[in-house]
mmCIF file of all heavy atoms in Angstrom:
data_model
loop_
_atom_site.group_PDB
_atom_site.id
_atom_site.type_symbol
_atom_site.label_atom_id
_atom_site.label_comp_id
_atom_site.label_asym_id
_atom_site.label_seq_id
_atom_site.Cartn_x
_atom_site.Cartn_y
_atom_site.Cartn_z
ATOM 1 N N THR Z 137 0.844 -1.193 0.000
ATOM 2 C CA THR Z 137 0.000 0.000 0.000
ATOM 3 C C THR Z 137 0.879 1.243 0.000
ATOM 4 O O THR Z 137 1.728 1.411 0.880
ATOM 5 C CB THR Z 137 -0.940 0.012 1.221
ATOM 6 O OG1 THR Z 137 -1.757 -1.167 1.191
ATOM 7 C CG2 THR Z 137 -1.825 1.245 1.203
ATOM 8 N N ARG Z 138 0.655 2.098 -0.983
ATOM 9 C CA ARG Z 138 1.468 3.314 -1.084
ATOM 10 C C ARG Z 138 1.252 4.216 0.125
ATOM 11 O O ARG Z 138 0.140 4.308 0.663
ATOM 12 C CB ARG Z 138 1.112 4.104 -2.347
ATOM 13 C CG ARG Z 138 1.428 3.394 -3.646
ATOM 14 C CD ARG Z 138 1.078 4.307 -4.825
ATOM 15 N NE ARG Z 138 1.356 3.698 -6.121
ATOM 16 C CZ ARG Z 138 0.455 3.095 -6.877
ATOM 17 N NH1 ARG Z 138 -0.803 2.992 -6.445
ATOM 18 N NH2 ARG Z 138 0.788 2.593 -8.050
ATOM 19 N N THR Z 139 2.319 4.891 0.508
ATOM 20 C CA THR Z 139 2.234 5.875 1.566
ATOM 21 C C THR Z 139 3.153 7.038 1.208
ATOM 22 O O THR Z 139 3.855 6.998 0.202
ATOM 23 C CB THR Z 139 2.635 5.262 2.928
ATOM 24 O OG1 THR Z 139 2.372 6.202 3.973
ATOM 25 C CG2 THR Z 139 4.123 4.913 2.949
ATOM 26 N N THR Z 140 3.144 8.078 2.016
ATOM 27 C CA THR Z 140 4.060 9.196 1.780
ATOM 28 C C THR Z 140 5.470 8.759 2.143
ATOM 29 O O THR Z 140 5.728 8.336 3.265
ATOM 30 C CB THR Z 140 3.662 10.428 2.620
ATOM 31 O OG1 THR Z 140 2.342 10.838 2.241
ATOM 32 C CG2 THR Z 140 4.627 11.574 2.387
ATOM 33 N N ILE Z 141 6.366 8.835 1.170
ATOM 34 C CA ILE Z 141 7.746 8.410 1.371
ATOM 35 C C ILE Z 141 8.637 9.631 1.523
ATOM 36 O O ILE Z 141 8.649 10.522 0.663
ATOM 37 C CB ILE Z 141 8.247 7.559 0.184
ATOM 38 C CG1 ILE Z 141 7.324 6.357 -0.045
ATOM 39 C CG2 ILE Z 141 9.689 7.120 0.412
ATOM 40 C CD1 ILE Z 141 7.252 5.381 1.103
ATOM 41 N N VAL Z 142 9.335 9.694 2.602
ATOM 42 C CA VAL Z 142 10.355 10.720 2.796
ATOM 43 C C VAL Z 142 11.700 10.024 2.707
ATOM 44 O O VAL Z 142 12.034 9.195 3.547
ATOM 45 C CB VAL Z 142 10.199 11.438 4.151
ATOM 46 C CG1 VAL Z 142 11.301 12.474 4.327
ATOM 47 C CG2 VAL Z 142 8.826 12.087 4.254
ATOM 48 N N VAL Z 143 12.452 10.339 1.651
ATOM 49 C CA VAL Z 143 13.725 9.662 1.428
ATOM 50 C C VAL Z 143 14.787 10.290 2.336
ATOM 51 O O VAL Z 143 15.093 11.475 2.202
ATOM 52 C CB VAL Z 143 14.175 9.784 -0.036
ATOM 53 C CG1 VAL Z 143 15.507 9.086 -0.245
ATOM 54 C CG2 VAL Z 143 13.119 9.197 -0.962
ATOM 55 N N PRO Z 144 15.346 9.518 3.267
ATOM 56 C CA PRO Z 144 16.403 10.076 4.113
ATOM 57 C C PRO Z 144 17.684 10.234 3.301
ATOM 58 O O PRO Z 144 18.229 9.262 2.784
ATOM 59 C CB PRO Z 144 16.564 9.023 5.219
ATOM 60 C CG PRO Z 144 16.105 7.744 4.601
ATOM 61 C CD PRO Z 144 15.062 8.109 3.583
ATOM 62 N N ALA Z 145 18.142 11.461 3.159
ATOM 63 C CA ALA Z 145 19.373 11.690 2.410
ATOM 64 C C ALA Z 145 20.572 11.145 3.171
ATOM 65 O O ALA Z 145 21.562 10.713 2.576
ATOM 66 C CB ALA Z 145 19.556 13.179 2.143
ATOM 67 N N VAL Z 146 20.479 11.144 4.505
ATOM 68 C CA VAL Z 146 21.596 10.726 5.352
ATOM 69 C C VAL Z 146 21.072 9.802 6.449
ATOM 70 O O VAL Z 146 20.022 10.069 7.044
ATOM 71 C CB VAL Z 146 22.297 11.946 5.999
ATOM 72 C CG1 VAL Z 146 23.425 11.506 6.924
ATOM 73 C CG2 VAL Z 146 22.819 12.904 4.928
ATOM 74 N N GLU Z 147 21.798 8.723 6.690
ATOM 75 C CA GLU Z 147 21.494 7.819 7.806
ATOM 76 C C GLU Z 147 22.778 7.600 8.594
ATOM 77 O O GLU Z 147 23.861 7.480 8.010
ATOM 78 C CB GLU Z 147 20.966 6.486 7.292
ATOM 79 C CG GLU Z 147 19.641 6.606 6.550
ATOM 80 C CD GLU Z 147 19.201 5.280 5.958
ATOM 81 O OE1 GLU Z 147 19.780 4.882 4.935
ATOM 82 O OE2 GLU Z 147 18.301 4.656 6.540
ATOM 83 N N GLU Z 148 22.648 7.551 9.896
ATOM 84 C CA GLU Z 148 23.846 7.384 10.735
ATOM 85 C C GLU Z 148 23.629 6.292 11.768
ATOM 86 O O GLU Z 148 22.497 5.955 12.117
ATOM 87 C CB GLU Z 148 24.215 8.703 11.432
ATOM 88 C CG GLU Z 148 23.343 9.075 12.622
ATOM 89 C CD GLU Z 148 21.941 9.492 12.227
ATOM 90 O OE1 GLU Z 148 21.782 10.190 11.208
ATOM 91 O OE2 GLU Z 148 20.992 9.099 12.953
ATOM 92 N N ARG Z 149 24.718 5.727 12.242
ATOM 93 C CA ARG Z 149 24.680 4.789 13.364
ATOM 94 C C ARG Z 149 26.080 4.759 13.976
ATOM 95 O O ARG Z 149 27.048 5.254 13.401
ATOM 96 C CB ARG Z 149 24.237 3.399 12.920
ATOM 97 C CG ARG Z 149 25.215 2.643 12.026
ATOM 98 C CD ARG Z 149 24.720 1.211 11.779
ATOM 99 N NE ARG Z 149 25.692 0.425 11.022
ATOM 100 C CZ ARG Z 149 25.663 0.249 9.709
ATOM 101 N NH1 ARG Z 149 24.710 0.833 8.988
ATOM 102 N NH2 ARG Z 149 26.573 -0.498 9.107
ATOM 103 N N VAL Z 150 26.145 4.155 15.141
ATOM 104 C CA VAL Z 150 27.409 4.044 15.863
ATOM 105 C C VAL Z 150 28.003 2.663 15.645
ATOM 106 O O VAL Z 150 27.305 1.656 15.765
ATOM 107 C CB VAL Z 150 27.185 4.308 17.368
ATOM 108 C CG1 VAL Z 150 28.400 3.900 18.187
ATOM 109 C CG2 VAL Z 150 26.860 5.778 17.595
ATOM 110 N N GLU Z 151 29.269 2.604 15.290
ATOM 111 C CA GLU Z 151 30.022 1.355 15.210
ATOM 112 C C GLU Z 151 31.075 1.387 16.325
ATOM 113 O O GLU Z 151 32.238 1.687 16.095
ATOM 114 C CB GLU Z 151 30.696 1.216 13.836
ATOM 115 C CG GLU Z 151 29.738 1.038 12.670
ATOM 116 C CD GLU Z 151 29.145 -0.366 12.616
ATOM 117 O OE1 GLU Z 151 29.566 -1.225 13.425
ATOM 118 O OE2 GLU Z 151 28.257 -0.600 11.772
ATOM 119 N N ALA Z 152 30.583 1.114 17.567
ATOM 120 C CA ALA Z 152 31.449 1.160 18.762
ATOM 121 C C ALA Z 152 32.051 2.551 18.916
ATOM 122 O O ALA Z 152 31.371 3.473 19.339
ATOM 123 C CB ALA Z 152 32.509 0.069 18.709
ATOM 124 N N ASP Z 153 33.325 2.730 18.532
ATOM 125 C CA ASP Z 153 34.010 4.017 18.705
ATOM 126 C C ASP Z 153 34.131 4.798 17.401
ATOM 127 O O ASP Z 153 34.902 5.754 17.305
ATOM 128 C CB ASP Z 153 35.399 3.790 19.298
ATOM 129 C CG ASP Z 153 36.216 2.752 18.527
ATOM 130 O OD1 ASP Z 153 35.703 2.229 17.515
ATOM 131 O OD2 ASP Z 153 37.350 2.448 18.942
ATOM 132 N N VAL Z 154 33.369 4.416 16.390
ATOM 133 C CA VAL Z 154 33.425 5.078 15.088
ATOM 134 C C VAL Z 154 32.007 5.490 14.668
ATOM 135 O O VAL Z 154 31.050 4.739 14.860
ATOM 136 C CB VAL Z 154 34.031 4.148 14.008
ATOM 137 C CG1 VAL Z 154 33.999 4.819 12.628
ATOM 138 C CG2 VAL Z 154 35.456 3.753 14.371
ATOM 139 N N GLY Z 155 31.893 6.680 14.103
ATOM 140 C CA GLY Z 155 30.614 7.128 13.571
ATOM 141 C C GLY Z 155 30.475 6.713 12.115
ATOM 142 O O GLY Z 155 31.357 7.006 11.298
ATOM 143 N N TYR Z 156 29.402 6.001 11.791
ATOM 144 C CA TYR Z 156 29.132 5.574 10.420
ATOM 145 C C TYR Z 156 28.014 6.443 9.866
ATOM 146 O O TYR Z 156 26.933 6.541 10.450
ATOM 147 C CB TYR Z 156 28.715 4.102 10.379
ATOM 148 C CG TYR Z 156 28.180 3.654 9.031
ATOM 149 C CD1 TYR Z 156 29.044 3.252 8.023
ATOM 150 C CD2 TYR Z 156 26.810 3.655 8.773
ATOM 151 C CE1 TYR Z 156 28.551 2.848 6.779
ATOM 152 C CE2 TYR Z 156 26.309 3.252 7.537
ATOM 153 C CZ TYR Z 156 27.187 2.852 6.548
ATOM 154 O OH TYR Z 156 26.704 2.465 5.318
ATOM 155 N N ILE Z 157 28.271 7.097 8.730
ATOM 156 C CA ILE Z 157 27.286 7.987 8.116
ATOM 157 C C ILE Z 157 27.153 7.635 6.640
ATOM 158 O O ILE Z 157 28.127 7.724 5.884
ATOM 159 C CB ILE Z 157 27.698 9.461 8.277
ATOM 160 C CG1 ILE Z 157 27.766 9.830 9.769
ATOM 161 C CG2 ILE Z 157 26.713 10.378 7.549
ATOM 162 C CD1 ILE Z 157 28.300 11.203 10.056
ATOM 163 N N ARG Z 158 25.963 7.210 6.249
ATOM 164 C CA ARG Z 158 25.702 6.893 4.850
ATOM 165 C C ARG Z 158 24.966 8.048 4.200
ATOM 166 O O ARG Z 158 23.914 8.490 4.678
ATOM 167 C CB ARG Z 158 24.855 5.626 4.712
ATOM 168 C CG ARG Z 158 24.544 5.292 3.257
ATOM 169 C CD ARG Z 158 23.641 4.072 3.120
ATOM 170 N NE ARG Z 158 23.434 3.747 1.713
ATOM 171 C CZ ARG Z 158 22.438 4.216 0.958
ATOM 172 N NH1 ARG Z 158 21.547 5.053 1.485
ATOM 173 N NH2 ARG Z 158 22.329 3.871 -0.313
ATOM 174 N N ILE Z 159 25.518 8.573 3.109
ATOM 175 C CA ILE Z 159 24.856 9.610 2.325
ATOM 176 C C ILE Z 159 24.289 8.931 1.084
ATOM 177 O O ILE Z 159 25.038 8.471 0.221
ATOM 178 C CB ILE Z 159 25.830 10.740 1.948
ATOM 179 C CG1 ILE Z 159 26.412 11.375 3.222
ATOM 180 C CG2 ILE Z 159 25.122 11.796 1.108
ATOM 181 C CD1 ILE Z 159 27.429 12.459 2.955
ATOM 182 N N GLY Z 160 22.968 8.852 1.010
ATOM 183 C CA GLY Z 160 22.329 8.112 -0.076
ATOM 184 C C GLY Z 160 22.110 8.928 -1.326
ATOM 185 O O GLY Z 160 22.099 8.404 -2.431
ATOM 186 N N THR Z 161 21.933 10.256 -1.160
ATOM 187 C CA THR Z 161 21.711 11.136 -2.293
ATOM 188 C C THR Z 161 22.041 12.559 -1.884
ATOM 189 O O THR Z 161 22.151 12.859 -0.688
ATOM 190 C CB THR Z 161 20.247 11.053 -2.787
ATOM 191 O OG1 THR Z 161 20.110 11.803 -3.985
ATOM 192 C CG2 THR Z 161 19.281 11.576 -1.736
ATOM 193 N N PHE Z 162 22.207 13.432 -2.870
ATOM 194 C CA PHE Z 162 22.482 14.837 -2.588
ATOM 195 C C PHE Z 162 21.252 15.660 -2.957
ATOM 196 O O PHE Z 162 21.139 16.211 -4.044
ATOM 197 C CB PHE Z 162 23.721 15.301 -3.358
ATOM 198 C CG PHE Z 162 24.997 14.756 -2.796
ATOM 199 C CD1 PHE Z 162 25.478 13.524 -3.207
ATOM 200 C CD2 PHE Z 162 25.702 15.444 -1.824
ATOM 201 C CE1 PHE Z 162 26.646 12.992 -2.674
ATOM 202 C CE2 PHE Z 162 26.872 14.928 -1.284
ATOM 203 C CZ PHE Z 162 27.343 13.697 -1.708
ATOM 204 N N SER Z 163 20.300 15.699 -2.014
ATOM 205 C CA SER Z 163 19.076 16.477 -2.182
ATOM 206 C C SER Z 163 19.178 17.727 -1.309
ATOM 207 O O SER Z 163 20.216 18.005 -0.715
ATOM 208 C CB SER Z 163 17.864 15.641 -1.758
ATOM 209 O OG SER Z 163 17.884 15.420 -0.358
ATOM 210 N N GLU Z 164 18.085 18.472 -1.225
ATOM 211 C CA GLU Z 164 18.076 19.683 -0.410
ATOM 212 C C GLU Z 164 18.384 19.389 1.063
ATOM 213 O O GLU Z 164 18.823 20.271 1.793
ATOM 214 C CB GLU Z 164 16.709 20.369 -0.507
ATOM 215 C CG GLU Z 164 16.409 20.971 -1.874
ATOM 216 C CD GLU Z 164 15.036 21.614 -1.917
ATOM 217 O OE1 GLU Z 164 14.303 21.523 -0.904
ATOM 218 O OE2 GLU Z 164 14.690 22.210 -2.953
ATOM 219 N N GLN Z 165 18.137 18.146 1.480
ATOM 220 C CA GLN Z 165 18.257 17.801 2.899
ATOM 221 C C GLN Z 165 19.649 17.306 3.299
ATOM 222 O O GLN Z 165 19.906 17.053 4.478
ATOM 223 C CB GLN Z 165 17.263 16.685 3.234
ATOM 224 C CG GLN Z 165 15.845 16.946 2.781
ATOM 225 C CD GLN Z 165 14.993 15.689 2.861
ATOM 226 O OE1 GLN Z 165 15.239 14.795 3.656
ATOM 227 N NE2 GLN Z 165 13.978 15.612 2.030
ATOM 228 N N THR Z 166 20.569 17.147 2.335
ATOM 229 C CA THR Z 166 21.782 16.359 2.607
ATOM 230 C C THR Z 166 22.715 17.006 3.625
ATOM 231 O O THR Z 166 23.116 16.372 4.601
ATOM 232 C CB THR Z 166 22.535 16.072 1.297
ATOM 233 O OG1 THR Z 166 21.672 15.354 0.423
ATOM 234 C CG2 THR Z 166 23.774 15.231 1.572
ATOM 235 N N TYR Z 167 23.095 18.255 3.418
ATOM 236 C CA TYR Z 167 24.058 18.869 4.344
ATOM 237 C C TYR Z 167 23.492 18.923 5.759
ATOM 238 O O TYR Z 167 24.184 18.587 6.723
ATOM 239 C CB TYR Z 167 24.456 20.279 3.891
ATOM 240 C CG TYR Z 167 25.306 20.973 4.936
ATOM 241 C CD1 TYR Z 167 26.634 20.605 5.132
ATOM 242 C CD2 TYR Z 167 24.751 21.948 5.767
ATOM 243 C CE1 TYR Z 167 27.402 21.204 6.125
ATOM 244 C CE2 TYR Z 167 25.511 22.556 6.751
ATOM 245 C CZ TYR Z 167 26.833 22.184 6.925
ATOM 246 O OH TYR Z 167 27.582 22.767 7.909
ATOM 247 N N GLU Z 168 22.233 19.330 5.873
ATOM 248 C CA GLU Z 168 21.642 19.405 7.207
ATOM 249 C C GLU Z 168 21.573 18.021 7.847
ATOM 250 O O GLU Z 168 21.812 17.859 9.046
ATOM 251 C CB GLU Z 168 20.245 20.023 7.117
ATOM 252 C CG GLU Z 168 19.585 20.327 8.455
ATOM 253 C CD GLU Z 168 20.366 21.319 9.297
ATOM 254 O OE1 GLU Z 168 21.180 22.087 8.730
ATOM 255 O OE2 GLU Z 168 20.153 21.331 10.523
ATOM 256 N N GLY Z 169 21.259 17.001 7.038
ATOM 257 C CA GLY Z 169 21.253 15.638 7.555
ATOM 258 C C GLY Z 169 22.635 15.194 8.006
ATOM 259 O O GLY Z 169 22.777 14.501 9.024
ATOM 260 N N LEU Z 170 23.665 15.580 7.264
ATOM 261 C CA LEU Z 170 25.034 15.249 7.659
ATOM 262 C C LEU Z 170 25.403 15.917 8.972
ATOM 263 O O LEU Z 170 25.968 15.280 9.873
ATOM 264 C CB LEU Z 170 26.004 15.682 6.556
ATOM 265 C CG LEU Z 170 27.495 15.566 6.897
ATOM 266 C CD1 LEU Z 170 27.904 14.104 7.041
ATOM 267 C CD2 LEU Z 170 28.351 16.261 5.843
ATOM 268 N N ARG Z 171 25.085 17.194 9.089
ATOM 269 C CA ARG Z 171 25.414 17.921 10.322
ATOM 270 C C ARG Z 171 24.733 17.276 11.531
ATOM 271 O O ARG Z 171 25.377 17.058 12.577
ATOM 272 C CB ARG Z 171 24.975 19.382 10.189
ATOM 273 C CG ARG Z 171 25.425 20.275 11.333
ATOM 274 C CD ARG Z 171 24.814 21.664 11.222
ATOM 275 N NE ARG Z 171 23.365 21.628 11.329
ATOM 276 C CZ ARG Z 171 22.706 21.479 12.482
ATOM 277 N NH1 ARG Z 171 23.376 21.331 13.622
ATOM 278 N NH2 ARG Z 171 21.389 21.454 12.500
ATOM 279 N N LYS Z 172 23.459 16.943 11.381
ATOM 280 C CA LYS Z 172 22.736 16.312 12.483
ATOM 281 C C LYS Z 172 23.289 14.915 12.773
ATOM 282 O O LYS Z 172 23.369 14.503 13.939
ATOM 283 C CB LYS Z 172 21.245 16.231 12.158
ATOM 284 C CG LYS Z 172 20.552 17.584 12.160
ATOM 285 C CD LYS Z 172 19.075 17.440 11.813
ATOM 286 C CE LYS Z 172 18.365 18.787 11.840
ATOM 287 N NZ LYS Z 172 16.932 18.679 11.465
ATOM 288 N N GLY Z 173 23.666 14.193 11.721
ATOM 289 C CA GLY Z 173 24.224 12.857 11.908
ATOM 290 C C GLY Z 173 25.537 12.887 12.678
ATOM 291 O O GLY Z 173 25.771 12.053 13.563
ATOM 292 N N ILE Z 174 26.395 13.833 12.336
ATOM 293 C CA ILE Z 174 27.665 13.971 13.064
ATOM 294 C C ILE Z 174 27.400 14.317 14.521
ATOM 295 O O ILE Z 174 28.006 13.746 15.439
ATOM 296 C CB ILE Z 174 28.550 15.026 12.381
ATOM 297 C CG1 ILE Z 174 29.038 14.509 11.024
ATOM 298 C CG2 ILE Z 174 29.748 15.386 13.274
ATOM 299 C CD1 ILE Z 174 29.788 15.539 10.208
ATOM 300 N N ASP Z 175 26.480 15.257 14.755
ATOM 301 C CA ASP Z 175 26.145 15.627 16.139
ATOM 302 C C ASP Z 175 25.619 14.428 16.922
ATOM 303 O O ASP Z 175 25.952 14.234 18.097
ATOM 304 C CB ASP Z 175 25.095 16.743 16.148
ATOM 305 C CG ASP Z 175 25.665 18.096 15.739
ATOM 306 O OD1 ASP Z 175 26.914 18.243 15.706
ATOM 307 O OD2 ASP Z 175 24.863 19.010 15.436
ATOM 308 N N LYS Z 176 24.810 13.603 16.247
ATOM 309 C CA LYS Z 176 24.191 12.469 16.946
ATOM 310 C C LYS Z 176 25.219 11.420 17.346
ATOM 311 O O LYS Z 176 25.226 10.948 18.486
ATOM 312 C CB LYS Z 176 23.118 11.840 16.050
ATOM 313 C CG LYS Z 176 22.308 10.755 16.730
ATOM 314 C CD LYS Z 176 21.152 10.294 15.848
ATOM 315 C CE LYS Z 176 20.347 9.193 16.523
ATOM 316 N NZ LYS Z 176 19.210 8.738 15.683
ATOM 317 N N VAL Z 177 26.126 11.053 16.412
ATOM 318 C CA VAL Z 177 27.116 10.036 16.775
ATOM 319 C C VAL Z 177 28.131 10.595 17.773
ATOM 320 O O VAL Z 177 28.628 9.856 18.646
ATOM 321 C CB VAL Z 177 27.825 9.467 15.521
ATOM 322 C CG1 VAL Z 177 26.837 8.742 14.625
ATOM 323 C CG2 VAL Z 177 28.584 10.526 14.746
ATOM 324 N N ASN Z 178 28.425 11.896 17.688
ATOM 325 C CA ASN Z 178 29.318 12.505 18.672
ATOM 326 C C ASN Z 178 28.721 12.427 20.071
ATOM 327 O O ASN Z 178 29.409 12.114 21.050
ATOM 328 C CB ASN Z 178 29.583 13.969 18.320
ATOM 329 C CG ASN Z 178 30.566 14.134 17.173
ATOM 330 O OD1 ASN Z 178 31.223 13.180 16.771
ATOM 331 N ND2 ASN Z 178 30.669 15.344 16.649
ATOM 332 N N ALA Z 179 27.403 12.705 20.163
ATOM 333 C CA ALA Z 179 26.744 12.670 21.470
ATOM 334 C C ALA Z 179 26.678 11.256 22.016
ATOM 335 O O ALA Z 179 26.833 11.042 23.227
ATOM 336 C CB ALA Z 179 25.334 13.255 21.342
ATOM 337 N N GLU Z 180 26.487 10.282 21.131
ATOM 338 C CA GLU Z 180 26.340 8.900 21.583
ATOM 339 C C GLU Z 180 27.680 8.296 22.007
ATOM 340 O O GLU Z 180 27.755 7.568 23.001
ATOM 341 C CB GLU Z 180 25.710 8.066 20.464
ATOM 342 C CG GLU Z 180 25.194 6.717 20.933
ATOM 343 C CD GLU Z 180 24.289 6.059 19.909
ATOM 344 O OE1 GLU Z 180 23.742 6.766 19.032
ATOM 345 O OE2 GLU Z 180 24.115 4.822 19.999
#
């Protein structure tokens, strides 16, 4: 069933002591997603 899809330009997770950040596309959201992703793994 179709729904509203919001494509995440950036996804992040923690790999123990390393921050992993996947950039899937360069849309309007990418830089802001990267900045938030870095902040999130730094905090974690």
Side-chain angles (χ1 to χ4, degrees):
T137 301
R138 295 182 180 98
T139 188
T140 299
I141 304 298
V142 179
V143 179
V146 178
E147 296 175 284
E148 76 289 321
R149 68 174 185 264
V150 167
E151 293 285 354
D153 52 1
V154 176
Y156 170 84
I157 298 174
R158 179 183 183 269
I159 301 178
T161 187
F162 287 87
S163 68
E164 291 179 356
Q165 310 167 27
T166 301
Y167 173 74
E168 188 61 22
L170 172 67
R171 187 187 63 77
K172 290 179 179 178
I174 291 173
D175 287 346
K176 186 173 179 180
V177 296
N178 284 348
E180 195 166 339

